[in-house]
Each structure stands twice: as structure tokens, then as C-alpha cells.
Amino acid sequence: MISVNRITALFASLCLSCLAAGAQQVDTSSFNALEYSMQKRWRPANREWLNERFSDNLTLRFGGGVEQLLERSTSSYSLGPLFRGSVGKDLNATNNLFAGASAGMFRRNKEGVKVFRGGVELGHSYDFTTYYLGYDPDRSWAVRTVEAVGMNLSYASGNYGFSFSARLGLMLSAVLSRDCEIFFQPDVAFYTDGIDCSKASNWQRFDMGYGFSTGLMWHLNRFRAETPQEETFGQWFVENSYILFSGGCNFQLSSLTLNHPGLFPSARETVQLTYGRLVEGPVGVEFSLFYSRDVWKQFSDLRNKFCYYAGLRPQLAFDPLWWAGIEWFSMPLLVGPEIGLIIKQDDGYSVKRAYMGLSVALRPDFLVHRHLSLFLEPRFSMVPYTFSPRTNSTLVTGSRNYYDMLLSLSLGMRVPF
């Protein structure tokens, strides 16, 4: 009974203390900790941004890539080139509105007919990097979203088609010079029926496409508080730059080649010359000229048929080991389009096509001297092309999509300027 009385008295004293504390008024007008922690603590620092004239903060963008419509019941479609150009205006540090035009071509594989297309669009771009890290016109890389709607006109074999479109993209860019960026952008697009200029019934009433593009974007009349320092082309070309020389073996991974003559018998030479530039931290850009060859077919009499590739690879490089601070070793991941020419030999004819594919590489790099490093580079490339199979029937006019999957293994050296 005594313990119960003590507990009751203790509970009553706690209640009286709470009431006394609640009767006192707390002045929070001078400082609000919640407001400080939720709004000001995580707000990034911004450089000064001015937009006094219409000509301030303009953007010019031009790029080229490929797009492919998804197959439907009436036909499949080839991967076709698509070029875009646009003029934009930064409304504020993160939002950009732009107007642009496009032109391209693809094939309806059922008939082997070329479809030429052109269009106009209005779009918006949002800069995630500025939102999270603050506005800085001298930042060396950026990640942006791209959303656009447009109208398109298609032409094929005397017929015209009209369609509306909407597309979404993600732009990854790195600075080449003070106001010029190189970008790589994967896209997905939706079209109303008519983009393929076909009279065949389409029960879906829309088409969907996917692809990627690469190009350059220029910023015009961006405000900077400091006076820009003049830099010659020679200074820009040499600063934070390097040259790579590499060579090795190129393997064909198509099912036909893997069955005969096999992976290793398909190997032939590959060489590459690269100019690279460190942008900031782990990010860099590279431009490579390449040549490679492989055996893609072998006959019973041991005659080999060769396939040749040559072209350009603009690439973004990202080194995940940069934060580790290891000076003698790096391992950048490289990704970008492969723009080139393919020549594939067969009995009596050759397939000759310009193409834009995708290339990915990993480059373990060992620094052996202040001005020399050695590296090993495994690389995977996808080379798409469209071809009409040779048959004895004149009624067969359709085309088919083909993809050469290539694996190369190269040794090389990197020479910093």
C-alpha cells in the first residue's frame, strides 16, 4: 500500500511540472531551428546568374544518332540515322526551353522501302547537376533531362505520312572548352500512327522508338563576374591532355562465326589512335580513330571471308578509382557511339554500309613513368546494319536487321602532354 501511495505522489508531481512548463511562453521569433535545418542547411552555393537581355544565356545544340521503331505485326524497322539541331534559352539556372528541327531515314523491312522523315519540336531541359550542386557556369560536367513534343512528316515511295511525337531523354555532358560541351544522350520516343508512312492497318495507333545520339552544345552570353582569360588553341589542346596508341586482336561474336570457324580463328588485327582530355576529377573525354578486321565466314575449302571496320569513337571516360587517390593505377570505364564504315565480303558481292553503333571498354592503366603509362583494354562493340538477303526469287525484296557483336583486346601506351 505504501508503494502505491509513493507512485501516485510521483505521478502527480510530474503532471504539475508539465503544466508549469506549458504555462511559460517560448519566444521562437528570432530563431527557428526547423526552418534552418530544412531550408538553409542543404541549400547549395550559387554563382551569380544574370538574364537582363533576351540574347543572354542562349544555347545552340547539334547532334546525330540512331533510332529504331519497335517491330509490330505489319513490319519490322531498321536502325536509322537521325540528326537534330535546336536553339534554346535558359529561363533560370536549371530550366531551359528550346525549339528544334530533325531529319532522318529508316527502312520498312517488309518491303525494303526507305522512309525519309523530318520534323519540328518544342522542348524543355532540366539541369539536375545545378539543382543539387549549385549554379556554376564553369562546372565541367552535367546531367540533364530532356522532354519534347513535336510534329513529323514522312515520305516513302510517293506516299506521305503525318504524326505527332513525344520523347524523353537523359543528357550526359562534359566540357570541351569554356562554353562548349560534348554530350551523349539516350532517348525513348512515342509517335502517333503515320511515322512509318505505311498504309497497313496499325491496331495500336501509335509507334514507339528508342535510340541514342551524341553532339555538341554551345552556351552563348553567359555571365561571369571575373574577366575571361584568353587561351590559344595550342594551350587548350595540350592542357590536361594525352595521346594513346593501342593494337591487338578483334574477335567476331556472331552465332555463325562462333559455330565456324570459331572465336579464336576469327581473330584479326585492330589498331586505335586516341586523343584524350581530362575534364574534372574522374571525368574525361576521348576521340579515337580505329581500324579492325575479322573473319566472319569460312568455307569447307578453308577460304576465309573478312569483315572490315573503320571510323571514329567519341567517348566519355569515368574512373571510379579516382577517389581512392592511387597515383600509379587507374581503371576508367569508357562509353560512347561508334561511327564508321563496315565492309563485309561474301561470294560475288560485299555489304558496304555506314553505321552508328555503341562501344564500351574498360582500361586498366599502369603508370610506369611520369610521362608514360601502359594499359590493357578489353572492348565490346555493337555494329548494326540492314541488308536484303540474296535469293534466287525476284519477288523477295524485304530487308533484315543484323548486328555484329565484336570483342577486341588491345595493349597500348598513354603519353600525357
Side-chain angles (χ1 to χ4, degrees):
M1 181 65 67
I2 297 175
S3 60
V4 173
N5 292 335
R6 289 181 177 178
I7 293 174
T8 302
L10 179 61
F11 180 75
S13 63
L14 289 175
C15 291
L16 291 174
S17 300
C18 292
L19 291 175
Q24 298 178 358
Q25 293 184 354
V26 179
D27 182 14
T28 60
S29 60
S30 60
F31 177 76
N32 189 327
L34 181 61
E35 179 182 355
Y36 179 80
S37 63
M38 296 299 290
Q39 296 184 12
K40 296 183 179 179
R41 183 178 179 183
W42 306 111
R43 182 177 297 170
N46 290 311
R47 295 270 294 274
E48 188 175 0
W49 191 85
L50 294 180
N51 192 27
E52 298 175 345
R53 304 169 300 174
F54 179 79
S55 58
D56 290 341
N57 303 301
L58 297 180
T59 57
L60 297 178
R61 189 183 309 166
F62 180 79
V66 291
E67 186 178 78
Q68 183 172 30
L69 299 180
L70 293 182
E71 181 178 357
R72 61 184 187 184
S73 58
T74 56
S75 180
S76 62
Y77 305 92
S78 73
L79 198 70
L82 183 59
F83 300 92
R84 290 191 178 99
S86 66
V87 178
K89 166 76 172 177
D90 288 335
L91 303 181
N92 51 41
T94 55
N95 292 279
N96 175 277
L97 290 182
F98 64 87
S102 64
M105 185 274 292
F106 62 92
R107 290 178 182 268
R108 287 201 314 258
N109 287 338
K110 183 177 181 180
E111 306 94 342
V113 172
K114 290 183 178 180
V115 180
F116 298 92
R117 52 176 293 187
V120 294
E121 65 179 5
L122 294 174
H124 168 263
S125 180
Y126 187 81
D127 192 332
F128 271 116
T129 310
T130 295
Y131 176 79
Y132 282 107
L133 302 180
Y135 174 69
D136 185 356
D138 295 317
R139 182 172 290 115
S140 298
W141 58 278
V143 179
R144 302 179 179 92
T145 64
V146 176
E147 314 89 38
V149 293
M151 299 181 294
N152 306 274
L153 181 65
S154 303
Y155 172 81
S157 301
N159 297 317
Y160 292 89
F162 179 79
S163 62
F164 292 97
S165 62
R167 68 181 179 98
L168 302 173
L170 186 67
M171 178 189 294
L172 312 175
S173 65
V175 169
L176 285 179
S177 63
R178 187 174 179 85
D179 285 310
C180 179
E181 301 178 23
I182 181 174
F183 67 84
F184 176 74
Q185 178 179 319
D187 287 285
V188 60
F190 301 89
Y191 300 94
T192 59
D193 193 18
I195 187 64
D196 64 343
C197 203
S198 175
K199 294 182 178 180
S201 176
N202 177 14
W203 64 270
Q204 297 177 147
R205 299 300 180 188
F206 73 93
D207 289 286
M208 180 178 174
Y210 62 93
F212 62 88
S213 61
T214 186
L216 298 175
M217 182 168 68
W218 292 269
H219 297 270
L220 306 179
N221 302 323
R222 286 199 295 186
F223 173 78
R224 290 180 174 88
E226 69 278 6
T227 302
Q229 182 179 0
E230 295 294 333
E231 184 180 34
T232 65
F233 175 79
Q235 292 173 327
W236 171 85
F237 186 84
V238 171
E239 184 182 9
N240 298 323
S241 301
Y242 52 88
I243 294 289
L244 297 97
F245 307 90
S246 63
C249 294
N250 189 60
F251 304 90
Q252 176 72 250
L253 299 180
S254 69
S255 57
L256 176 65
T257 304
L258 291 177
N259 291 331
H260 191 75
L263 177 63
F264 291 102
S266 74
R268 290 298 185 270
E269 71 279 0
T270 181
V271 292
Q272 184 172 258
L273 173 64
T274 302
Y275 165 79
R277 181 178 177 85
L278 296 175
V279 174
E280 183 181 25
V283 181
V285 294
E286 295 185 0
F287 298 90
S288 302
L289 295 174
F290 72 92
Y291 162 80
S292 59
R293 181 177 68 135
D294 61 60
V295 176
W296 78 282
K297 182 184 286 189
Q298 187 179 72
F299 294 97
S300 56
D301 58 1
L302 300 183
R303 287 184 299 118
N304 292 325
K305 293 299 178 182
F306 296 100
C307 193
Y308 303 86
Y309 312 87
L312 170 70
R313 295 183 181 122
Q315 305 174 117
L316 291 177
F318 177 78
D319 183 10
L321 298 182
W322 180 81
W323 287 280
I326 305 175
E327 296 183 357
W328 59 271
F329 180 70
S330 62
M331 192 168 58
L333 174 67
L334 303 108
V335 61
E338 182 173 303
I339 307 164
L341 176 68
I342 176 176
I343 301 177
K344 180 169 285 192
Q345 297 177 336
D346 207 339
D347 271 352
Y349 67 94
S350 297
V351 178
K352 299 180 181 180
R353 293 284 187 274
Y355 72 89
M356 177 177 283
L358 187 64
S359 186
V360 180
L362 191 66
R363 183 188 297 150
D365 185 288
F366 300 86
L367 184 67
V368 297
H369 186 269
R370 186 165 62 94
H371 293 293
L372 178 66
S373 63
L374 303 178
F375 64 84
L376 174 70
E377 183 184 277
R379 176 178 294 275
F380 176 80
S381 297
M382 181 193 71
V383 177
Y385 65 97
T386 301
F387 180 66
S388 300
R390 298 298 178 99
T391 67
N392 296 325
S393 174
T394 58
L395 299 177
V396 178
T397 59
S399 301
R400 289 183 58 187
N401 297 330
Y402 297 91
Y403 299 89
D404 278 3
M405 303 298 181
L406 307 176
L407 174 66
S408 64
L409 189 62
S410 300
L411 292 172
M413 61 180 180
R414 180 172 64 91
V415 182
F417 286 124

